[in-house]
Amino acid sequence: MSRFLLVIAGAVVVLAGLQWAVPRWAASQIASRIAGQDGGVKPKVGITAMPFWILAHGQFQDLYIKAGTVHIDGVMVSQAALDWQNGQISLPALSHNKLVVQKQGHVKARIMFDDAALSKFLADQGIVQSPSVSLTPGVMTIRGRLTLGQLNVPLNAKGTLSVSSDKKAILFHPTNFDGIQLPVLTDLQIFQIDSLHLPLPMVIHSVTIRQNQLIVEANTP
C-alpha cells in the first residue's frame, strides 16, 4: 500500500475516533455543568452531531437530557427528560452561562412531579397556602387554604386535570369539595408553562395522573 493510501486510511481512522469521542465529550461537559449548577447528580446526556465539527458552531442533530430531582428555573421536579432535534445554540453566550437559541428545531419535554414536589411547587407559586397534594390514578387531591377575594378558606378538594385551550396551563377541576359533590365545576390554574421562562416557546401536549405521579408532556409549537 502506498504511503499516500496509508495516510488516507489513518485519517479516516482518526476522524472515526473523533466522531465517536467528541460528541461524548461534549455530552459529559453538559452533564457536569447541569450538575454543578443544580447541585445534584449528573444527568444522562446524549448528543448526535454528524459530522462532529458542527458542534464547533453549536449545531447538533439530537440532544437528549434526562435528569432526576432537578430544578428548572427554581422549580423542583422529580424527573425531567428533553429531546431537542436539529437545534443550534450560541457557544460564546454559553461560555457566559447564557443559553441563546440560534435555531429552534423541535423540542419534546417530559416533566414528572411526585406528591412532595407538586406540593412544594404549589406552595412556591402561592396558588394554595400550606398545600398537601396526593395523586391517585386519574384523581388529584389538594388540601390547604385558598384565598377567594377577601376570604381565606380551607380547601379540601378532589378533581381531575386538563390542559387549557391555549395549551399553556394545567387546570384543576374540583368534583368533590369536603365530601360534597359540586354542581358547577370551578377551575383552578395550578401550572403555567411560561412561568418556567424557557428559552424556547413551548405548549403542553398532555397531562396524566398516575399513582404518586403527575406527568406533563410538552413540545415546541
Side-chain angles (χ1 to χ4, degrees), residues 11 13 27 62 75 77 80 100 145 159 168 197-198:
V13 171
D62 189 79
V75 177
V77 301
V100 177
R145 300 192 68 84
K168 288 288 187 176
H197 304 293
L198 300 172

Side-chain angles (χ1 to χ4, degrees), residues 34 103 167 195:
I34 292 173
K103 181 181 177 183
K167 298 185 178 181
S195 67

Side-chain angles (χ1 to χ4, degrees), residues 178-198:
D178 278 338
I180 302 173
Q181 298 296 322
L182 295 179
V184 179
L185 295 180
T186 303
D187 296 341
L188 174 66
Q189 180 177 298
I190 66 166
F191 177 76
Q192 170 64 246
I193 196 165
D194 289 342
S195 67
L196 298 181
H197 304 293
L198 300 172

Side-chain angles (χ1 to χ4, degrees), residues 26 122 141 193 219:
L122 293 181
T141 302
I193 196 165
N219 52 258

